Amino acid sequence: MTHPSPSALQHVDVNVTAPDVDRDDAETTTSTKRDRIQTAVATGADDATDADKRARDDGDDETETETADAAPACAAKRPKPASTKERAPREMNVDALPEALRDWKRDAELGLSNLWGRQRMRLLDWFETKAVINTCIVSCPAAALREKMRALRDNGVYGSSMTPYLHLLRDVFDETDAYADDLDEELDFNDFFDEESESEEESESEEESESEEESEDESEDEDVPVVARSRGEATEPQAAAEPQQKVGASRSAPSVEEMSEIKAKFSRFGQFLGQYFTEKRLEVEKIEAIVDAAAAEGFNDPQEVNKFLEIMQRQNKIMYDQNEWTVYII
């Protein structure tokens, strides 16, 4: 086996490199590949960015569409806030109502209007509202309407605002004409004058007439000698007694005008009593104070006031305790 000679190895240049042209070509190729990769990466990134943008835009559009579609549904489900404004009364021919119901309707509307005035000034409280409700109950001639107002007063509504009470009263007053044929029974003249008192008055008048006849008989017995003169004197008392009538006669058969006056006076007394309790802010009162206040308003007969209170208790408008002489709003 032969080995190269050391002289041959000595002539090998270990630092020999590729020609400069080949090196330049290699660098150019590498640079071109790098540029292509960067371009591809950049192009892909831009495409991805555009795709993302388009996706986001599409998503935003869909979200807006869904939101727009859901908005009416949400608005429909959302409860509407209660109106705080006064509602106008329902159109009604008040003049066609019965007299008692017509007067009550007008007074009730006036009371409700006053409550709204206080509410607009933020001065309305529960006691004032309750007082007006009590006034309407005491003076109302329809039992069904009274029960509705009692339920409103006793059950109440949620919240501290008085506005719901005013709206509910508005609903009650708008139904007034529905109870035109369902009013309390007509007042009877016997409600104010008992038959017992009439019979007592008749018996008293009979006793008076009997006593007069006895006195006449006694006078005739004393004047027996003068017959003609006694006859003449006897005719004179009879003529004087003819115009006299029984005390209870006019009360047993009152005229239509008398009854209409009594009914109108009873209606005014109901309004007076309700306003009295409202102004005094009371629900219980002694009869003496009511009689005194009634006299100042033209109800001068205490017995008549007592009869009015008894009738109102029978109609379930008040409670009249005659043992304690006290009147209660119920």
Side-chain angles (χ1 to χ4, degrees):
M1 179 177 180
T2 59
H3 296 281
S5 62
S7 60
L9 292 176
Q10 292 176 357
H11 292 287
V12 176
D13 187 0
V14 295
N15 294 323
V16 174
T17 58
D20 294 337
V21 177
D22 296 338
R23 187 170 58 252
D24 294 339
D25 293 340
E27 292 177 359
T28 302
T29 301
T30 304
S31 177
T32 302
K33 290 181 179 180
R34 187 184 301 113
D35 294 339
R36 290 177 181 176
I37 294 172
Q38 292 177 352
T39 302
V41 173
T43 303
D46 294 338
D47 294 341
T49 303
D50 294 339
D52 293 339
K53 288 182 179 179
R54 286 194 300 271
R56 285 197 299 270
D57 294 339
D58 294 340
D60 293 340
D61 294 339
E62 292 177 358
T63 304
E64 292 177 358
T65 303
E66 293 176 357
T67 304
D69 294 339
C74 295
K77 294 180 181 179
R78 186 181 303 113
K80 295 181 180 180
S83 176
T84 58
K85 296 182 180 179
E86 180 180 1
R87 297 202 319 261
R90 180 175 67 84
E91 293 184 4
M92 184 184 305
N93 187 6
V94 180
D95 295 332
L97 297 175
E99 182 178 1
L101 193 61
R102 178 174 65 247
D103 294 341
W104 177 83
K105 166 75 170 174
R106 289 171 176 167
D107 292 334
E109 292 291 349
L110 180 60
L112 182 58
S113 178
N114 293 335
L115 289 181
W116 273 111
R118 299 280 294 175
Q119 177 66 11
R120 283 190 290 270
M121 294 186 293
R122 301 294 188 270
L123 298 176
L124 184 61
D125 59 10
W126 165 236
F127 195 92
E128 292 175 335
T129 305
K130 184 178 181 181
V132 172
I133 295 175
N134 286 336
T135 302
C136 294
I137 291 174
V138 170
S139 58
C140 182
L145 282 175
R146 292 197 295 269
E147 291 303 319
K148 283 191 173 184
M149 288 182 286
R150 283 196 184 101
L152 171 62
R153 179 196 63 189
D154 298 338
N155 298 336
V157 296
Y158 291 105
S160 59
S161 174
M162 295 296 103
T163 301
Y165 287 98
L166 305 186
H167 285 308
L168 292 174
L169 282 175
R170 170 81 278 144
D171 295 337
V172 173
F173 297 163
D174 285 345
E175 298 176 358
T176 302
D177 54 353
Y179 300 90
D181 299 328
D182 191 20
L183 303 181
D184 296 328
E185 295 181 0
E186 288 288 337
L187 297 180
D188 189 358
F189 196 77
N190 293 327
D191 292 334
F192 302 92
F193 301 99
D194 296 335
E195 295 179 357
E196 296 179 356
S197 61
E198 292 180 2
S199 61
E200 290 176 358
E201 291 173 355
E202 290 177 357
S203 62
E204 290 176 359
S205 62
E206 290 177 357
E207 291 176 357
E208 290 177 358
S209 61
E210 290 176 357
S211 62
E212 290 176 357
E213 291 177 357
E214 292 176 356
S215 62
E216 290 174 0
D217 293 338
E218 292 176 357
S219 62
E220 288 178 357
D221 293 339
E222 292 176 356
D223 299 334
V224 170
V226 187
V227 177
R229 186 176 180 180
S230 64
R231 289 179 180 176
E233 291 176 355
T235 57
E236 291 178 0
Q238 290 178 357
E242 286 178 356
Q244 295 179 358
Q245 297 179 355
K246 296 181 180 181
V247 178
S250 61
R251 293 185 177 182
S252 62
S255 64
V256 177
E257 290 77 10
E258 288 177 337
M259 281 304 303
S260 61
E261 289 178 0
I262 290 175
K263 292 177 182 178
K265 194 171 186 179
F266 177 73
S267 178
R268 292 197 307 271
F269 181 80
Q271 293 293 334
F272 150 75
L273 188 63
Q275 293 174 0
Y276 175 83
F277 278 99
T278 300
E279 293 174 358
K280 298 293 183 180
R281 295 200 168 197
L282 299 173
E283 294 185 2
V284 181
E285 183 61 295
K286 290 292 185 180
I287 185 63
E288 294 85 355
I290 294 177
V291 169
D292 293 340
E297 296 296 328
F299 304 97
N300 300 316
D301 188 356
Q303 294 182 354
E304 186 179 51
V305 171
N306 184 69
K307 282 294 180 183
F308 285 161
L309 294 174
E310 289 178 350
I311 295 172
M312 294 179 72
Q313 178 175 239
R314 189 164 63 249
Q315 293 178 345
N316 198 30
K317 294 180 179 179
I318 61 171
M319 187 177 73
Y320 181 21
D321 186 354
Q322 295 186 357
N323 294 326
E324 299 291 337
W325 295 106
T326 306
V327 177
Y328 300 85
I329 295 293
I330 60 173

